[in-house]
Amino acid sequence: KAGVTQTPRYLIKTRGQQVTLSCSPISGHRSVSWYQQTPGQGLQFLFEYFSETQRNKGNFPGRFSGRQFSNSRSEMNVSTLELGDSALYLCASIEVAGYYNEQFFGPGTRLTVL
Amino acid sequence: GENVEQHPSTLSVQEGDSAVIKCTYSDSASNYFPWYKQELGKGPQLIIDIRSNVGEKKDQRIAVTLNKTAKHFSLHITETQPEDSAVYFCAASLNNDMRFGAGTRLTVKP
């Protein structure tokens, strides 16, 4: 089956703008997590969605938001972009296997804020 | 919350040698420990994982060990090849709360 799809792959924005990133999980997976990856901070958890509901949220400001649609596709939005928001944004498709949940990552969206 | 420490941050080995990456975690309730390999320009790829009720798991040249008492787990790669060069991340998870180590950049020299 197809893997995790993230669009766009690359994005360049300027400070103050907003951006929307999209993630389509693996078919049949109903849960999605978003991460921010930077050289200095590593992989940091943003939020997790399951069946259109946000189940968990990381320690990011309110400028970072997300949502999930009925077909499990998810979007994340960053408003009022700052230079420090430049990062690789990764979406993980989660296979809920009872007690243990495996996460499969997409290729990411590389966001550059100028 | 969970805190995962990973060592070393960089590792260089000769082709054919073994490589070992170690991680420690703080929350004894964590029950799932995956390892990811990330190549340049790509997202992390799950390469092996271990559950808290298992002490060791092996998949061809890759093995992972878990010591629940000491709260540490390790990735072992034997007979390394140049294509093993990448950044490796460990993670510890309880339910869907997954925390990652800072990563180890492995370089395998031909």
Side-chain angles (χ1 to χ4, degrees), chain A residues 71-111:
Chain A
N71 62 357
S72 295
R73 189 178 71 86
S74 178
E75 289 182 347
M76 68 162 282
N77 184 78
V78 188
S79 61
T80 320
L81 284 166
E82 301 176 359
L83 295 177
D85 297 334
S86 293
L88 181 68
Y89 289 88
L90 292 160
C91 167
S93 178
I94 301 171
E95 182 168 15
V96 180
Y99 201 35
Y100 311 103
N101 300 320
E102 295 184 345
Q103 299 197 16
F104 301 91
F105 285 89
T109 294
R110 171 75 61 187
L111 172 64

Side-chain angles (χ1 to χ4, degrees), chain A residues 9 31 35 37 43 48 55-56 88 90 94 99-107, chain B residues 31-32 36 38 41-44 46 49 51-53 89 95-98 100 102:
Chain A
R9 291 294 311 278
S31 184
Y35 294 85
Q37 186 177 31
L43 274 158
E48 183 219 342
R55 247 189 348 190
N56 207 354
L88 181 68
L90 292 160
I94 301 171
Y99 201 35
Y100 311 103
N101 300 320
E102 295 184 345
Q103 299 197 16
F104 301 91
F105 285 89
Chain B
N31 56 13
Y32 174 59
Y36 291 87
Q38 187 173 24
K42 298 183 180 180
L46 179 67
D49 55 20
R51 325 296 194 195
S52 60
N53 58 349
F89 293 94
N95 298 324
N96 273 338
D97 187 0
M98 186 172 291
F100 289 83

